[in-house]
Amino acid sequence: MFSVSIKSNDILKDEAIKTGNNISNFIKEKLNKNSLIIKDSNAYNIVSGNVDTNKDDLVAEINFTCEFSISQNELNDKEKLDKFIFYIKSCLDNLSSIEENKYLPLHYRRNKDKNDRSDKSSRTGT
């Protein structure tokens, strides 16, 4: 389960709704997940995932927070706005992979240099 919260002031309310709709469509169409949308005048919240758990199950819950922001002036710059949306979608895509338990056993992973920050276990990165 993950959630996205887009917060704005009254001036940026329309941009927050457009961004929220864009992210919501990405979750539904690209990640194939249903979501619940809660919005008011200053926030647009999207929650997606399975919230049902069996009381007899062992449950580990990890909360991950990453905040991306864009200034009002940068909203008019298409390149900066695209980059802002790209970071959000990339983060959700990676979280979705984790949530779906896409696990690569240890013996299939490649060793990597201690200074290498790319994720060679999933064959992504540079």
Side-chain angles (χ1 to χ4, degrees), residues 61-91:
E61 183 175 292
I62 299 170
N63 294 305
F64 173 79
T65 301
C66 188
E67 189 172 290
F68 304 103
S69 64
I70 186 167
S71 72
Q72 187 172 355
N73 293 335
E74 292 174 325
L75 282 171
N76 298 323
D77 184 332
K78 181 157 176 44
E79 186 176 328
K80 290 181 180 179
L81 180 59
D82 286 345
K83 188 175 181 180
F84 173 72
I85 298 295
F86 171 80
Y87 284 133
I88 295 169
K89 289 180 178 179
S90 295
C91 187

PDB file of all heavy atoms in Angstrom, residues 61-91:
ATOM      1  N   GLU A  61       5.474  -3.418   8.350  1.00  0.00           N
ATOM      2  CA  GLU A  61       5.058  -2.227   7.621  1.00  0.00           C
ATOM      3  C   GLU A  61       6.221  -1.243   7.576  1.00  0.00           C
ATOM      4  O   GLU A  61       6.806  -0.914   8.600  1.00  0.00           O
ATOM      5  CB  GLU A  61       3.854  -1.580   8.311  1.00  0.00           C
ATOM      6  CG  GLU A  61       3.322  -0.384   7.562  1.00  0.00           C
ATOM      7  CD  GLU A  61       2.059   0.159   8.192  1.00  0.00           C
ATOM      8  OE1 GLU A  61       1.027  -0.522   8.139  1.00  0.00           O
ATOM      9  OE2 GLU A  61       2.125   1.266   8.755  1.00  0.00           O
ATOM     10  N   ILE A  62       6.552  -0.813   6.373  1.00  0.00           N
ATOM     11  CA  ILE A  62       7.630   0.148   6.169  1.00  0.00           C
ATOM     12  C   ILE A  62       7.006   1.403   5.579  1.00  0.00           C
ATOM     13  O   ILE A  62       6.305   1.341   4.581  1.00  0.00           O
ATOM     14  CB  ILE A  62       8.702  -0.404   5.208  1.00  0.00           C
ATOM     15  CG1 ILE A  62       9.312  -1.673   5.786  1.00  0.00           C
ATOM     16  CG2 ILE A  62       9.753   0.656   4.925  1.00  0.00           C
ATOM     17  CD1 ILE A  62      10.204  -2.405   4.813  1.00  0.00           C
ATOM     18  N   ASN A  63       7.265   2.529   6.190  1.00  0.00           N
ATOM     19  CA  ASN A  63       6.776   3.799   5.666  1.00  0.00           C
ATOM     20  C   ASN A  63       7.939   4.540   5.033  1.00  0.00           C
ATOM     21  O   ASN A  63       8.987   4.698   5.645  1.00  0.00           O
ATOM     22  CB  ASN A  63       6.158   4.642   6.786  1.00  0.00           C
ATOM     23  CG  ASN A  63       4.920   3.995   7.342  1.00  0.00           C
ATOM     24  OD1 ASN A  63       4.003   3.696   6.596  1.00  0.00           O
ATOM     25  ND2 ASN A  63       4.908   3.751   8.632  1.00  0.00           N
ATOM     26  N   PHE A  64       7.738   4.988   3.822  1.00  0.00           N
ATOM     27  CA  PHE A  64       8.771   5.683   3.064  1.00  0.00           C
ATOM     28  C   PHE A  64       8.229   7.066   2.722  1.00  0.00           C
ATOM     29  O   PHE A  64       7.124   7.190   2.206  1.00  0.00           O
ATOM     30  CB  PHE A  64       9.082   4.900   1.788  1.00  0.00           C
ATOM     31  CG  PHE A  64       9.998   5.604   0.848  1.00  0.00           C
ATOM     32  CD1 PHE A  64      11.359   5.617   1.080  1.00  0.00           C
ATOM     33  CD2 PHE A  64       9.507   6.258  -0.260  1.00  0.00           C
ATOM     34  CE1 PHE A  64      12.216   6.267   0.218  1.00  0.00           C
ATOM     35  CE2 PHE A  64      10.353   6.911  -1.135  1.00  0.00           C
ATOM     36  CZ  PHE A  64      11.712   6.907  -0.890  1.00  0.00           C
ATOM     37  N   THR A  65       8.993   8.091   3.029  1.00  0.00           N
ATOM     38  CA  THR A  65       8.571   9.441   2.707  1.00  0.00           C
ATOM     39  C   THR A  65       9.643  10.111   1.859  1.00  0.00           C
ATOM     40  O   THR A  65      10.821  10.098   2.203  1.00  0.00           O
ATOM     41  CB  THR A  65       8.361  10.277   3.989  1.00  0.00           C
ATOM     42  OG1 THR A  65       7.383   9.632   4.790  1.00  0.00           O
ATOM     43  CG2 THR A  65       7.900  11.671   3.665  1.00  0.00           C
ATOM     44  N   CYS A  66       9.200  10.656   0.756  1.00  0.00           N
ATOM     45  CA  CYS A  66      10.092  11.414  -0.116  1.00  0.00           C
ATOM     46  C   CYS A  66       9.298  12.621  -0.588  1.00  0.00           C
ATOM     47  O   CYS A  66       8.218  12.468  -1.145  1.00  0.00           O
ATOM     48  CB  CYS A  66      10.539  10.548  -1.288  1.00  0.00           C
ATOM     49  SG  CYS A  66      11.815  11.317  -2.266  1.00  0.00           S
ATOM     50  N   GLU A  67       9.808  13.785  -0.348  1.00  0.00           N
ATOM     51  CA  GLU A  67       9.078  14.997  -0.691  1.00  0.00           C
ATOM     52  C   GLU A  67       9.730  15.677  -1.888  1.00  0.00           C
ATOM     53  O   GLU A  67      10.928  15.947  -1.888  1.00  0.00           O
ATOM     54  CB  GLU A  67       9.046  15.935   0.507  1.00  0.00           C
ATOM     55  CG  GLU A  67       8.137  17.117   0.310  1.00  0.00           C
ATOM     56  CD  GLU A  67       7.969  17.923   1.585  1.00  0.00           C
ATOM     57  OE1 GLU A  67       7.322  17.410   2.513  1.00  0.00           O
ATOM     58  OE2 GLU A  67       8.507  19.045   1.635  1.00  0.00           O
ATOM     59  N   PHE A  68       8.936  15.924  -2.907  1.00  0.00           N
ATOM     60  CA  PHE A  68       9.366  16.665  -4.085  1.00  0.00           C
ATOM     61  C   PHE A  68       8.580  17.968  -4.093  1.00  0.00           C
ATOM     62  O   PHE A  68       7.391  17.974  -3.808  1.00  0.00           O
ATOM     63  CB  PHE A  68       9.048  15.895  -5.382  1.00  0.00           C
ATOM     64  CG  PHE A  68       9.635  14.521  -5.428  1.00  0.00           C
ATOM     65  CD1 PHE A  68       8.845  13.403  -5.202  1.00  0.00           C
ATOM     66  CD2 PHE A  68      10.977  14.330  -5.709  1.00  0.00           C
ATOM     67  CE1 PHE A  68       9.380  12.131  -5.258  1.00  0.00           C
ATOM     68  CE2 PHE A  68      11.517  13.064  -5.763  1.00  0.00           C
ATOM     69  CZ  PHE A  68      10.721  11.959  -5.538  1.00  0.00           C
ATOM     70  N   SER A  69       9.239  19.057  -4.431  1.00  0.00           N
ATOM     71  CA  SER A  69       8.509  20.323  -4.492  1.00  0.00           C
ATOM     72  C   SER A  69       8.896  21.075  -5.761  1.00  0.00           C
ATOM     73  O   SER A  69       9.962  20.865  -6.332  1.00  0.00           O
ATOM     74  CB  SER A  69       8.789  21.173  -3.254  1.00  0.00           C
ATOM     75  OG  SER A  69      10.149  21.531  -3.204  1.00  0.00           O
ATOM     76  N   ILE A  70       7.999  21.944  -6.165  1.00  0.00           N
ATOM     77  CA  ILE A  70       8.238  22.781  -7.334  1.00  0.00           C
ATOM     78  C   ILE A  70       7.650  24.154  -7.015  1.00  0.00           C
ATOM     79  O   ILE A  70       6.556  24.251  -6.454  1.00  0.00           O
ATOM     80  CB  ILE A  70       7.622  22.153  -8.613  1.00  0.00           C
ATOM     81  CG1 ILE A  70       8.000  22.947  -9.857  1.00  0.00           C
ATOM     82  CG2 ILE A  70       6.126  21.965  -8.484  1.00  0.00           C
ATOM     83  CD1 ILE A  70       7.693  22.231 -11.166  1.00  0.00           C
ATOM     84  N   SER A  71       8.391  25.198  -7.346  1.00  0.00           N
ATOM     85  CA  SER A  71       7.925  26.550  -7.025  1.00  0.00           C
ATOM     86  C   SER A  71       6.848  26.991  -8.016  1.00  0.00           C
ATOM     87  O   SER A  71       6.702  26.426  -9.096  1.00  0.00           O
ATOM     88  CB  SER A  71       9.092  27.535  -7.056  1.00  0.00           C
ATOM     89  OG  SER A  71       9.500  27.762  -8.392  1.00  0.00           O
ATOM     90  N   GLN A  72       6.138  28.009  -7.626  1.00  0.00           N
ATOM     91  CA  GLN A  72       5.084  28.537  -8.484  1.00  0.00           C
ATOM     92  C   GLN A  72       5.662  29.007  -9.822  1.00  0.00           C
ATOM     93  O   GLN A  72       5.072  28.794 -10.871  1.00  0.00           O
ATOM     94  CB  GLN A  72       4.362  29.680  -7.781  1.00  0.00           C
ATOM     95  CG  GLN A  72       3.155  30.186  -8.520  1.00  0.00           C
ATOM     96  CD  GLN A  72       2.357  31.182  -7.707  1.00  0.00           C
ATOM     97  OE1 GLN A  72       2.664  31.431  -6.552  1.00  0.00           O
ATOM     98  NE2 GLN A  72       1.337  31.739  -8.299  1.00  0.00           N
ATOM     99  N   ASN A  73       6.844  29.610  -9.805  1.00  0.00           N
ATOM    100  CA  ASN A  73       7.485  30.077 -11.038  1.00  0.00           C
ATOM    101  C   ASN A  73       7.883  28.909 -11.933  1.00  0.00           C
ATOM    102  O   ASN A  73       7.811  29.001 -13.156  1.00  0.00           O
ATOM    103  CB  ASN A  73       8.707  30.934 -10.728  1.00  0.00           C
ATOM    104  CG  ASN A  73       8.346  32.238 -10.058  1.00  0.00           C
ATOM    105  OD1 ASN A  73       7.237  32.740 -10.214  1.00  0.00           O
ATOM    106  ND2 ASN A  73       9.272  32.774  -9.293  1.00  0.00           N
ATOM    107  N   GLU A  74       8.330  27.815 -11.322  1.00  0.00           N
ATOM    108  CA  GLU A  74       8.770  26.656 -12.098  1.00  0.00           C
ATOM    109  C   GLU A  74       7.605  25.908 -12.734  1.00  0.00           C
ATOM    110  O   GLU A  74       7.798  25.182 -13.708  1.00  0.00           O
ATOM    111  CB  GLU A  74       9.574  25.701 -11.213  1.00  0.00           C
ATOM    112  CG  GLU A  74      10.908  26.267 -10.786  1.00  0.00           C
ATOM    113  CD  GLU A  74      11.636  25.374  -9.802  1.00  0.00           C
ATOM    114  OE1 GLU A  74      10.977  24.725  -8.966  1.00  0.00           O
ATOM    115  OE2 GLU A  74      12.873  25.338  -9.865  1.00  0.00           O
ATOM    116  N   LEU A  75       6.395  26.080 -12.214  1.00  0.00           N
ATOM    117  CA  LEU A  75       5.227  25.416 -12.798  1.00  0.00           C
ATOM    118  C   LEU A  75       4.995  25.835 -14.245  1.00  0.00           C
ATOM    119  O   LEU A  75       4.433  25.081 -15.036  1.00  0.00           O
ATOM    120  CB  LEU A  75       3.971  25.717 -11.975  1.00  0.00           C
ATOM    121  CG  LEU A  75       3.815  24.928 -10.690  1.00  0.00           C
ATOM    122  CD1 LEU A  75       2.659  25.475  -9.877  1.00  0.00           C
ATOM    123  CD2 LEU A  75       3.614  23.459 -10.976  1.00  0.00           C
ATOM    124  N   ASN A  76       5.428  27.014 -14.602  1.00  0.00           N
ATOM    125  CA  ASN A  76       5.258  27.508 -15.967  1.00  0.00           C
ATOM    126  C   ASN A  76       6.342  27.004 -16.916  1.00  0.00           C
ATOM    127  O   ASN A  76       6.226  27.182 -18.125  1.00  0.00           O
ATOM    128  CB  ASN A  76       5.232  29.033 -15.976  1.00  0.00           C
ATOM    129  CG  ASN A  76       4.064  29.579 -15.183  1.00  0.00           C
ATOM    130  OD1 ASN A  76       2.985  29.007 -15.194  1.00  0.00           O
ATOM    131  ND2 ASN A  76       4.284  30.673 -14.478  1.00  0.00           N
ATOM    132  N   ASP A  77       7.391  26.394 -16.382  1.00  0.00           N
ATOM    133  CA  ASP A  77       8.484  25.840 -17.188  1.00  0.00           C
ATOM    134  C   ASP A  77       8.189  24.363 -17.431  1.00  0.00           C
ATOM    135  O   ASP A  77       8.289  23.541 -16.527  1.00  0.00           O
ATOM    136  CB  ASP A  77       9.800  26.011 -16.442  1.00  0.00           C
ATOM    137  CG  ASP A  77      11.011  25.547 -17.239  1.00  0.00           C
ATOM    138  OD1 ASP A  77      10.865  24.645 -18.090  1.00  0.00           O
ATOM    139  OD2 ASP A  77      12.100  26.076 -16.978  1.00  0.00           O
ATOM    140  N   LYS A  78       7.797  24.020 -18.667  1.00  0.00           N
ATOM    141  CA  LYS A  78       7.368  22.652 -18.986  1.00  0.00           C
ATOM    142  C   LYS A  78       8.440  21.617 -18.652  1.00  0.00           C
ATOM    143  O   LYS A  78       8.138  20.545 -18.137  1.00  0.00           O
ATOM    144  CB  LYS A  78       6.977  22.540 -20.451  1.00  0.00           C
ATOM    145  CG  LYS A  78       6.493  21.146 -20.823  1.00  0.00           C
ATOM    146  CD  LYS A  78       5.626  21.155 -22.030  1.00  0.00           C
ATOM    147  CE  LYS A  78       5.207  19.798 -22.500  1.00  0.00           C
ATOM    148  NZ  LYS A  78       4.766  18.859 -21.513  1.00  0.00           N
ATOM    149  N   GLU A  79       9.700  21.933 -18.906  1.00  0.00           N
ATOM    150  CA  GLU A  79      10.782  20.990 -18.622  1.00  0.00           C
ATOM    151  C   GLU A  79      10.890  20.701 -17.119  1.00  0.00           C
ATOM    152  O   GLU A  79      11.029  19.549 -16.714  1.00  0.00           O
ATOM    153  CB  GLU A  79      12.107  21.538 -19.155  1.00  0.00           C
ATOM    154  CG  GLU A  79      13.250  20.551 -19.037  1.00  0.00           C
ATOM    155  CD  GLU A  79      14.525  21.078 -19.671  1.00  0.00           C
ATOM    156  OE1 GLU A  79      14.449  21.826 -20.658  1.00  0.00           O
ATOM    157  OE2 GLU A  79      15.596  20.721 -19.154  1.00  0.00           O
ATOM    158  N   LYS A  80      10.793  21.741 -16.301  1.00  0.00           N
ATOM    159  CA  LYS A  80      10.881  21.550 -14.847  1.00  0.00           C
ATOM    160  C   LYS A  80       9.645  20.830 -14.312  1.00  0.00           C
ATOM    161  O   LYS A  80       9.746  19.990 -13.419  1.00  0.00           O
ATOM    162  CB  LYS A  80      11.082  22.888 -14.146  1.00  0.00           C
ATOM    163  CG  LYS A  80      12.465  23.452 -14.402  1.00  0.00           C
ATOM    164  CD  LYS A  80      12.696  24.754 -13.699  1.00  0.00           C
ATOM    165  CE  LYS A  80      14.106  25.237 -14.031  1.00  0.00           C
ATOM    166  NZ  LYS A  80      14.424  26.499 -13.423  1.00  0.00           N
ATOM    167  N   LEU A  81       8.479  21.131 -14.870  1.00  0.00           N
ATOM    168  CA  LEU A  81       7.256  20.449 -14.460  1.00  0.00           C
ATOM    169  C   LEU A  81       7.309  18.970 -14.852  1.00  0.00           C
ATOM    170  O   LEU A  81       6.950  18.099 -14.053  1.00  0.00           O
ATOM    171  CB  LEU A  81       6.034  21.127 -15.079  1.00  0.00           C
ATOM    172  CG  LEU A  81       4.674  20.525 -14.737  1.00  0.00           C
ATOM    173  CD1 LEU A  81       4.433  20.544 -13.237  1.00  0.00           C
ATOM    174  CD2 LEU A  81       3.576  21.279 -15.471  1.00  0.00           C
ATOM    175  N   ASP A  82       7.782  18.668 -16.064  1.00  0.00           N
ATOM    176  CA  ASP A  82       7.926  17.278 -16.498  1.00  0.00           C
ATOM    177  C   ASP A  82       8.890  16.511 -15.601  1.00  0.00           C
ATOM    178  O   ASP A  82       8.664  15.354 -15.256  1.00  0.00           O
ATOM    179  CB  ASP A  82       8.413  17.199 -17.952  1.00  0.00           C
ATOM    180  CG  ASP A  82       7.338  17.552 -18.961  1.00  0.00           C
ATOM    181  OD1 ASP A  82       6.147  17.573 -18.576  1.00  0.00           O
ATOM    182  OD2 ASP A  82       7.686  17.801 -20.125  1.00  0.00           O
ATOM    183  N   LYS A  83       9.979  17.155 -15.207  1.00  0.00           N
ATOM    184  CA  LYS A  83      10.952  16.524 -14.314  1.00  0.00           C
ATOM    185  C   LYS A  83      10.332  16.234 -12.951  1.00  0.00           C
ATOM    186  O   LYS A  83      10.531  15.159 -12.381  1.00  0.00           O
ATOM    187  CB  LYS A  83      12.171  17.438 -14.170  1.00  0.00           C
ATOM    188  CG  LYS A  83      13.325  16.832 -13.434  1.00  0.00           C
ATOM    189  CD  LYS A  83      14.521  17.786 -13.454  1.00  0.00           C
ATOM    190  CE  LYS A  83      15.715  17.190 -12.749  1.00  0.00           C
ATOM    191  NZ  LYS A  83      16.863  18.095 -12.765  1.00  0.00           N
ATOM    192  N   PHE A  84       9.552  17.175 -12.442  1.00  0.00           N
ATOM    193  CA  PHE A  84       8.851  17.010 -11.169  1.00  0.00           C
ATOM    194  C   PHE A  84       7.915  15.799 -11.220  1.00  0.00           C
ATOM    195  O   PHE A  84       7.949  14.927 -10.347  1.00  0.00           O
ATOM    196  CB  PHE A  84       8.069  18.301 -10.881  1.00  0.00           C
ATOM    197  CG  PHE A  84       7.164  18.262  -9.685  1.00  0.00           C
ATOM    198  CD1 PHE A  84       7.677  18.270  -8.403  1.00  0.00           C
ATOM    199  CD2 PHE A  84       5.789  18.247  -9.855  1.00  0.00           C
ATOM    200  CE1 PHE A  84       6.836  18.268  -7.298  1.00  0.00           C
ATOM    201  CE2 PHE A  84       4.940  18.231  -8.756  1.00  0.00           C
ATOM    202  CZ  PHE A  84       5.471  18.246  -7.487  1.00  0.00           C
ATOM    203  N   ILE A  85       7.109  15.715 -12.273  1.00  0.00           N
ATOM    204  CA  ILE A  85       6.171  14.590 -12.449  1.00  0.00           C
ATOM    205  C   ILE A  85       6.943  13.290 -12.660  1.00  0.00           C
ATOM    206  O   ILE A  85       6.578  12.238 -12.128  1.00  0.00           O
ATOM    207  CB  ILE A  85       5.217  14.846 -13.635  1.00  0.00           C
ATOM    208  CG1 ILE A  85       4.355  16.084 -13.381  1.00  0.00           C
ATOM    209  CG2 ILE A  85       4.350  13.624 -13.918  1.00  0.00           C
ATOM    210  CD1 ILE A  85       3.395  15.975 -12.236  1.00  0.00           C
ATOM    211  N   PHE A  86       8.039  13.327 -13.416  1.00  0.00           N
ATOM    212  CA  PHE A  86       8.861  12.139 -13.659  1.00  0.00           C
ATOM    213  C   PHE A  86       9.374  11.547 -12.347  1.00  0.00           C
ATOM    214  O   PHE A  86       9.322  10.334 -12.145  1.00  0.00           O
ATOM    215  CB  PHE A  86      10.036  12.485 -14.574  1.00  0.00           C
ATOM    216  CG  PHE A  86      11.045  11.376 -14.698  1.00  0.00           C
ATOM    217  CD1 PHE A  86      10.813  10.310 -15.548  1.00  0.00           C
ATOM    218  CD2 PHE A  86      12.207  11.394 -13.941  1.00  0.00           C
ATOM    219  CE1 PHE A  86      11.734   9.282 -15.656  1.00  0.00           C
ATOM    220  CE2 PHE A  86      13.130  10.370 -14.033  1.00  0.00           C
ATOM    221  CZ  PHE A  86      12.898   9.308 -14.896  1.00  0.00           C
ATOM    222  N   TYR A  87       9.883  12.381 -11.448  1.00  0.00           N
ATOM    223  CA  TYR A  87      10.395  11.888 -10.165  1.00  0.00           C
ATOM    224  C   TYR A  87       9.293  11.201  -9.352  1.00  0.00           C
ATOM    225  O   TYR A  87       9.512  10.157  -8.747  1.00  0.00           O
ATOM    226  CB  TYR A  87      11.024  13.013  -9.342  1.00  0.00           C
ATOM    227  CG  TYR A  87      12.396  13.423  -9.820  1.00  0.00           C
ATOM    228  CD1 TYR A  87      12.716  14.757  -9.991  1.00  0.00           C
ATOM    229  CD2 TYR A  87      13.370  12.474 -10.099  1.00  0.00           C
ATOM    230  CE1 TYR A  87      13.981  15.139 -10.428  1.00  0.00           C
ATOM    231  CE2 TYR A  87      14.636  12.851 -10.531  1.00  0.00           C
ATOM    232  CZ  TYR A  87      14.933  14.180 -10.700  1.00  0.00           C
ATOM    233  OH  TYR A  87      16.175  14.550 -11.125  1.00  0.00           O
ATOM    234  N   ILE A  88       8.108  11.783  -9.337  1.00  0.00           N
ATOM    235  CA  ILE A  88       6.997  11.181  -8.602  1.00  0.00           C
ATOM    236  C   ILE A  88       6.642   9.819  -9.202  1.00  0.00           C
ATOM    237  O   ILE A  88       6.521   8.814  -8.489  1.00  0.00           O
ATOM    238  CB  ILE A  88       5.765  12.114  -8.606  1.00  0.00           C
ATOM    239  CG1 ILE A  88       6.072  13.406  -7.849  1.00  0.00           C
ATOM    240  CG2 ILE A  88       4.548  11.398  -7.994  1.00  0.00           C
ATOM    241  CD1 ILE A  88       5.016  14.480  -8.019  1.00  0.00           C
ATOM    242  N   LYS A  89       6.493   9.756 -10.525  1.00  0.00           N
ATOM    243  CA  LYS A  89       6.125   8.504 -11.187  1.00  0.00           C
ATOM    244  C   LYS A  89       7.211   7.446 -11.034  1.00  0.00           C
ATOM    245  O   LYS A  89       6.905   6.265 -10.823  1.00  0.00           O
ATOM    246  CB  LYS A  89       5.822   8.750 -12.666  1.00  0.00           C
ATOM    247  CG  LYS A  89       4.533   9.509 -12.888  1.00  0.00           C
ATOM    248  CD  LYS A  89       4.284   9.734 -14.367  1.00  0.00           C
ATOM    249  CE  LYS A  89       2.974  10.441 -14.614  1.00  0.00           C
ATOM    250  NZ  LYS A  89       2.747  10.669 -16.059  1.00  0.00           N
ATOM    251  N   SER A  90       8.473   7.844 -11.117  1.00  0.00           N
ATOM    252  CA  SER A  90       9.574   6.888 -10.948  1.00  0.00           C
ATOM    253  C   SER A  90       9.564   6.294  -9.549  1.00  0.00           C
ATOM    254  O   SER A  90       9.756   5.088  -9.365  1.00  0.00           O
ATOM    255  CB  SER A  90      10.920   7.565 -11.204  1.00  0.00           C
ATOM    256  OG  SER A  90      11.029   7.964 -12.532  1.00  0.00           O
ATOM    257  N   CYS A  91       9.343   7.138  -8.567  1.00  0.00           N
ATOM    258  CA  CYS A  91       9.291   6.671  -7.183  1.00  0.00           C
ATOM    259  C   CYS A  91       8.132   5.685  -7.003  1.00  0.00           C
ATOM    260  O   CYS A  91       8.297   4.613  -6.414  1.00  0.00           O
ATOM    261  CB  CYS A  91       9.145   7.867  -6.252  1.00  0.00           C
ATOM    262  SG  CYS A  91       9.263   7.463  -4.512  1.00  0.00           S
TER     263      CYS A  91
END
